Amino acid sequence: MILTTTNEIEGFRILEYKGIVSGISVNMQKMSISFNMEKYYAGISETMSQVKEQAFQELKDNARNLNANAIVGIKVDMEVTANNYIAVSVTGTAVSVA
């Protein structure tokens, strides 16, 4: 599966636009607040990476369900709430390329 934020893939030709696909993930476990800011930011970074990976996996699964082999124009939105929940939303256009 080819993933890109651009609207084209160099060296490939888009044969068919399959539709818009999304992947959304929110960490369900609340992060612990620490007085050590280094540990706090390291925790946020690690959790954000995990949540982002889950959102991208859902995005790819949704594209595969449309028989796409690439996703173009990907936009990523990451948010840390006041309660230290992390939400990641990923959206793009599923396409078939050759």
Side-chain angles (χ1 to χ4, degrees), residues 26-38:
V26 178
N27 68 321
M28 296 310 211
Q29 182 180 6
K30 234 181 175 183
M31 292 177 13
S32 62
I33 295 178
S34 171
F35 289 107
N36 181 330
M37 293 309 286
E38 188 174 323

Side-chain angles (χ1 to χ4, degrees), residues 32-80:
S32 62
I33 295 178
S34 171
F35 289 107
N36 181 330
M37 293 309 286
E38 188 174 323
K39 285 183 182 178
Y40 173 75
Y41 288 124
I44 286 179
S45 178
E46 181 179 333
T47 302
M48 189 170 282
S49 292
Q50 292 170 353
V51 174
K52 182 180 72 159
E53 183 58 39
Q54 292 169 357
F56 268 97
Q57 187 59 53
E58 183 179 327
L59 177 80
K60 291 186 284 188
D61 291 345
N62 290 334
R64 279 190 199 98
N65 289 338
L66 296 175
N67 295 316
N69 61 357
I71 305 170
V72 297
I74 294 175
K75 305 287 186 235
V76 180
D77 181 43
M78 297 181 173
E79 181 179 342
V80 179

Side-chain angles (χ1 to χ4, degrees), residues 10-22:
E10 189 174 332
F12 290 86
R13 189 170 53 106
I14 294 175
L15 302 176
E16 184 179 1
Y17 290 86
K18 301 288 190 169
I20 296 172
V21 289
S22 295

